[in-house]
Amino acid sequence: MYRSDFTLAESDVEHYYTQGYLVIPNAVYPDECGALLAALKKHADENFSACKNLHEAEPLALALMKYSPIVRAIETLQRCTVVALMSQILFKEAGSRYAAQAWNPHQDNSYPKARKGAYITCNVTLADTDLENGCMYIYPGSHEEDLLPYVPTISHHEPPGTNPGNLVEVPKNYRNRKVNLIMSQGSMLVLHGYVIHGSYPNTSATRSRPLFSFSYMPEGDAHFIVGATARRKPILVH
């Protein structure tokens, strides 16, 4: 169903472990991104708010989470067999209520509270992303920190004018390391659950920034919070 193929080099693995993230270009072909986005948009409401766990309704979404090159890459980084846990589509549709939304600097693992290093997130860009349409940013190396104190923040169907993401204060020694993640369509960003990251608002009048996100955990590791809206549960990928 998906046609791209890739393997991680030793330098990729080293980058993930030292920086807390990895960008894999061309993980998904452009036409495959278009087909997936079209399938997911069928479930969008009038505000194009985020939708969770559409892999339960859309075979293309589930197929991507089970796609062998992606699973193989995650298992190379995790050094174990993994299961998927959940998925989410963030449309960031131009002109919509959520276009101006900018995620606070946060650590993904502030939600499931898994063991350090166990929770890992993949983010596939379904369109080219840059500063204008709300790309993500990251603080490399910040995954070395523990789970930082945070301001609990509504991060699903947020009230208008508010930004999601359990807000953390970025430690001083990382503030000058900030990297803007400008990525082409079909690139995949792999995130360590403790690395600090966020996103910019979409200020484009015509360009959306759809992002399909899904997470993994070591198989058999039950140390995570299910969540009322995330509804995390192990999904076999083999």
Side-chain angles (χ1 to χ4, degrees), residues 94-215:
S96 72
R97 173 194 292 180
Y98 293 100
Q101 185 181 78
W103 278 70
N104 296 319
H106 66 283
Q107 297 167 296
D108 281 351
N109 199 46
S110 67
Y111 298 98
K113 293 183 171 60
R115 301 179 192 275
K116 187 170 185 177
Y119 191 72
I120 193 167
T121 306
C122 293
N123 301 273
V124 174
T125 57
L126 302 182
D128 293 344
T129 69
D130 52 39
L131 287 169
E132 182 190 41
N133 70 339
C135 70
M136 296 173 66
Y137 59 81
I138 198 164
Y139 292 90
S142 57
H143 66 303
E144 298 291 351
E145 300 294 315
D146 290 328
L147 197 60
L148 298 169
Y150 60 85
V151 178
T153 307
I154 298 175
S155 301
H156 184 66
H157 294 189
E158 307 80 26
T162 63
N163 291 327
N166 286 336
L167 176 64
V168 301
E169 181 177 352
V170 180
K172 290 182 180 179
N173 54 315
Y174 298 108
R175 292 176 188 171
N176 64 353
R177 302 187 194 180
K178 185 179 182 181
V179 172
N180 295 326
L181 296 169
I182 298 171
M183 299 188 293
S184 60
Q185 183 185 47
S187 297
M188 184 171 74
L189 170 65
V190 183
L191 289 174
H192 187 288
Y194 277 51
V195 72
I196 303 169
H197 63 286
S199 70
Y200 297 101
N202 181 2
T203 59
S204 172
T206 58
R207 298 170 56 228
S208 302
R209 196 227 63 179
L211 183 78
F212 184 58
S213 178
F214 44 103
S215 57

Side-chain angles (χ1 to χ4, degrees), residues 1-5 27-33 35-36 39 55 58-69:
M1 192 173 293
Y2 290 95
R3 308 187 309 278
S4 61
D5 194 11
V28 182
Y29 288 154
D31 62 325
E32 296 168 340
C33 290
L36 177 58
H55 65 270
E58 291 298 336
L60 278 177
L62 181 60
L64 185 59
M65 297 164 71
K66 292 185 173 184
Y67 187 48
S68 59

Side-chain angles (χ1 to χ4, degrees), residues 85-86 109-114 119 150 217 222-228 230-233:
L85 278 189
M86 65 163 291
N109 199 46
S110 67
Y111 298 98
K113 293 183 171 60
Y119 191 72
Y150 60 85
M217 282 271 294
H223 293 268
F224 63 89
I225 294 173
V226 172
R231 295 184 290 109
R232 301 176 186 89
K233 62 180 180 181

